[in-house]
């Protein structure tokens, strides 16, 4: 598995040949992070890609639904085998949801992501 590597700003990297590509476990982790940062209906090729962050966060009492959607998003990412740990923390005054998850990919590597 291989994908274009992203830099610290989330932009594609170019000009370094094969070093511009993420492979295996790094590729899977990058795909998970990209999907978690994506808004539903924001990508013209697939309107179901990403998470309905705005719709879910606008409604009261939808934390369980958002967490389930995040779990499904991680598990449905190509290369993810199992979701090992999942924790979230909601800060109502800041209207912020923090998520930490650990997953195992098809290469046997355990990776952690935070959003």
């Amino acid at each position: 598995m291989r994908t274009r590597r992203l830099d610290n700003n989330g932009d594609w990297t170019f000009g370094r040949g094969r070093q511009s590509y993420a492979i295996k476990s790094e590729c899977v982790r990058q795909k998970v992070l990209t999907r978690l940062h994506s808004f539903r209906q924001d990508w013209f090729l697939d309107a179901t890609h990403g998470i309905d962050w705005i719709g879910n966060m606008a409604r009261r009492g939808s934390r369980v639904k958002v967490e389930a959607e995040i779990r499904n998003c991680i598990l449905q990412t190509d290369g993810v085998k199992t979701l090992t740990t999942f924790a979230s923390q909601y800060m109502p005054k800041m209207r912020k949801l923090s998520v930490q998850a650990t997953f195992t990919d098809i290469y046997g590597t355990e990776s952690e992501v935070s959003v």
Side-chain angles (χ1 to χ4, degrees), residues 47-114:
T48 63
H49 176 80
I51 295 175
D52 186 16
W53 290 109
I54 296 171
N56 286 324
M57 297 303 280
R59 291 182 213 99
R60 180 171 241 145
S62 62
R63 181 175 174 184
V64 173
K65 184 179 177 188
V66 171
E67 288 177 354
E69 194 170 345
I70 293 169
R71 282 187 186 102
N72 285 336
C73 182
I74 294 170
L75 287 170
Q76 292 174 358
T77 303
D78 290 339
V80 174
K81 191 173 181 181
T82 59
L83 184 61
T84 313
T85 62
F86 183 87
S88 69
Q89 181 182 13
Y90 178 62
M91 294 157 264
K93 291 186 180 186
M94 296 172 57
R95 294 186 62 189
K96 183 177 179 180
L97 178 68
S98 174
V99 175
Q100 295 82 29
T102 306
F103 64 89
T104 305
D105 61 26
I106 58 174
Y107 304 104
T109 303
E110 192 169 272
S111 299
E112 184 176 330
V113 291
S114 297

